[in-house]
């Protein structure tokens, strides 16, 4: 979609918003799949209510993009524009055991930065690609930990109320790969409280998690991490593997040979290929195990 209205285009510089015409979502997502649309880069949180009022007033549909690492975007010309936060410098500010982090900060870099200042707890998240905002919205977790456990405050733009709010940790529910945020809430910043730990000890934990991840996940390949959530008490990856589906392909979309819940783009896969592979695998798991797998990856296809 193109922003055609000159009134919107003229208002953007005052709002510290940069317009990037015809951005390719394939270049902004770890799966390297997705069509094109106009992208607005937001440099100042405070301009968001004004920007969104402007877009709503002119009827411009929009979606919020984080790091694009857990996202499958449809092909071709997209029917909405994309909003993305630009990362401020610095994007992490430490005070005692608290880390004030911008949602646009890179998750891995944030974990490493805190570790260097003897703040731990998030070792499991090392190697998880994406932004802090994306991790927060999904309550990203790995190796027995989840980011939600450390959240004390969240600065969020609430689309329903059309304003920026600060929520306390207790006001948010963090569940397995799910939070109580509304789908159109936009994460802006988070305050984490992290346990003190010597850097050397944190580094050891990071090394162990890295090693486990390297040995079980297709890290060098284009993927969106796990495609399905694990059903209660079971492993989606193991079920898909047991059905012998590693290597199953639709075009260049392929079930990873290393981890069956990772679907990789082995070349020039389209969203259509990837969606067909997802529904094919889902169907086979349903008929073999009577289990309805739920998507873990976020799908923007309409
Ligand atoms: N397994 C197989 N075959 C496979 C994959 C896994 O038999 O192809 C078996 C493993 O041997 C193991 C069990 O299934 O016994 C579980 O596998 P794994 O330890 O790899 O964990 P997972 O449940 O598949 C979850 C998260 C990952 C996270 C890891 C490590 C979900 C959907 N996945 O994977 O998160 O990195 O644990 O904590 O919760 C993600 O969210 O995108 C993601 C990759």
């Amino acid at each position: 979609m193109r922003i055609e209205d000159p009134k919107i285009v003229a208002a953007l510089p005052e709002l510290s918003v940069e317009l990037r015409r015809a951005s390719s979502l394939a270049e902004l997502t770890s799966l390297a799949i997705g069509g094109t649309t106009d992208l607005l880069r937001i440099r100042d949180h405070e301009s968001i209510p004004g920007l969104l009022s402007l877009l709503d007033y002119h009827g411009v549909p929009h979606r919020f993009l984080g790091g694009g690492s857990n996202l499958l975007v449809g092909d071709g010309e997209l029917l909405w524009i994309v909003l993305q936060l630009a990362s401020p410098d610095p994007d992490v500010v430490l005070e005692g055991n608290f880390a004030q982090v911008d949602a646009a900060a890179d998750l891995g870099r944030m974990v490493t930065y805190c570790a260097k200042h003897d703040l731990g707890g998030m070792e499991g998240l090392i190697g998880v690609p994406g932004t802090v905002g994306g991790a927060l919205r999904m309550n990203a977790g790995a190796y027995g930990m989840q980011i939600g456990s450390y959240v004390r405050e969240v600065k969020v733009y609430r689309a329903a109320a059309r304003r920026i709010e600060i929520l306390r940790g207790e006001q948010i529910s963090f569940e397995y790969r799910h939070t109580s945020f509304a789908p159109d809430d936009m994460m802006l910043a988070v305050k984490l409280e992290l346990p003190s730990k010597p850097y050397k000890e944190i580094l050891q934990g990071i090394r162990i998690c890295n090693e486990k991840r390297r040995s079980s996940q297709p890290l060098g390949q284009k993927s969106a991490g796990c495609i399905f959530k694990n059903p209660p008490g079971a492993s989606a990856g193991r079920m898909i593997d047991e059905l012998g589906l590693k290597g199953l392909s639709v075009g260049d979309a392929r079930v990873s040979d290393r981890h069956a819940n990772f679907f990789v783009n082995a070349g020039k896969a389209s969203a259509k290929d990837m969606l067909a592979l997802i529904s094919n695998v889902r169907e086979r798991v349903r008929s073999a195990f009577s289990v309805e797998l739920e998507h873990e990856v976020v799908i923007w296809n309409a």
Side-chain angles (χ1 to χ4, degrees):
M1 175 177 196
R2 298 291 164 274
I3 300 177
E4 308 284 5
D5 196 321
K7 283 195 215 86
I8 301 180
V9 177
L12 296 177
E14 273 166 52
L15 291 163
S16 294
V17 173
E18 180 200 344
L19 170 58
R20 294 192 183 168
R21 290 283 190 196
S23 296
S24 160
L25 272 281
E27 287 167 17
L28 296 169
T29 52
S30 56
L31 258 177
I33 292 176
T36 49
T37 190
D38 281 357
L39 173 92
L40 297 180
R41 294 264 299 169
I42 300 168
R43 290 200 208 90
D44 178 7
H45 293 169
E46 303 312 312
S47 71
I48 294 171
L51 173 65
L52 292 208
S53 299
L54 184 72
L55 296 177
D56 289 344
Y57 180 77
H58 292 279
V60 179
H62 47 80
R63 299 198 174 178
F64 303 126
L65 176 69
S69 59
N70 190 42
L71 187 62
L72 170 55
V73 181
D75 302 312
E77 187 60 36
L78 303 169
L79 301 175
W80 22 265
I81 63 159
V82 164
L83 313 183
Q84 195 179 37
L85 293 177
S87 195
D89 186 19
D91 52 11
V92 185
V93 176
L94 302 180
E95 205 185 320
N97 285 71
F98 294 102
Q100 185 69 43
V101 192
D102 194 87
D106 178 79
L107 181 65
R109 226 163 25 79
M110 184 273 284
V111 174
T112 315
Y113 181 83
C114 293
K116 283 184 181 155
H117 292 81
D118 301 316
L119 293 175
M122 294 182 297
E123 293 82 333
L125 287 178
I126 207 78
V128 174
T131 59
V132 170
L136 185 63
R137 157 168 289 290
M138 291 294 295
N139 190 20
Y143 305 115
M145 61 76 58
Q146 51 181 30
I147 192 168
S149 319
Y150 302 104
V151 172
R152 296 297 167 261
E153 253 175 36
V154 175
K155 182 181 176 195
V156 55
Y157 172 75
R158 308 214 89 170
R162 291 177 174 271
R163 61 164 187 254
I164 293 174
E165 291 180 11
I166 308 279
L167 302 181
R168 290 191 314 280
E170 316 85 80
Q171 291 175 280
I172 308 157
S173 109
F174 290 100
E175 291 152 48
Y176 167 63
R177 298 294 193 275
H178 180 80
T179 60
S180 51
F181 293 112
D184 53 2
D185 281 349
M186 186 179 196
M187 307 295 111
L188 302 180
V190 61
K191 185 180 191 179
L192 302 167
E193 185 177 6
L194 302 170
S196 301
K197 240 191 209 183
Y199 179 45
K200 269 193 176 164
E201 217 176 281
I202 303 174
L203 209 54
Q204 223 167 357
I206 286 178
R207 285 210 183 102
I208 293 169
C209 292
N210 263 339
E211 194 39 54
K212 280 194 205 161
R213 207 180 283 285
R214 253 198 302 274
S215 65
S216 63
Q217 300 181 358
L219 297 189
Q221 288 179 277
K222 293 171 195 156
S223 86
C226 286
I227 288 286
F228 299 109
K229 292 184 186 179
N230 284 335
S235 158
R238 185 184 291 142
M239 288 194 283
I240 300 167
D241 194 0
E242 277 176 11
L243 293 175
L245 300 181
K246 279 182 170 168
L248 181 72
S249 303
V250 176
D252 279 337
R254 180 183 168 91
V255 177
S256 160
D257 295 311
R258 181 162 284 216
H259 194 300
N261 197 11
F262 279 65
F263 293 10
V264 300
N265 174 1
K268 290 190 158 60
S270 63
K272 198 164 167 250
D273 297 333
M274 193 53 81
L275 287 165
L277 184 65
I278 292 172
S279 67
N280 186 335
V281 169
R282 221 166 154 246
E283 181 56 44
R284 295 203 200 193
V285 169
R286 183 191 298 130
S287 67
F289 299 101
S290 303
V291 168
E292 203 67 52
L293 289 178
E294 252 185 75
H295 298 151
E296 202 263 348
V297 65
V298 175
I299 299 176
W300 286 357
N301 190 42

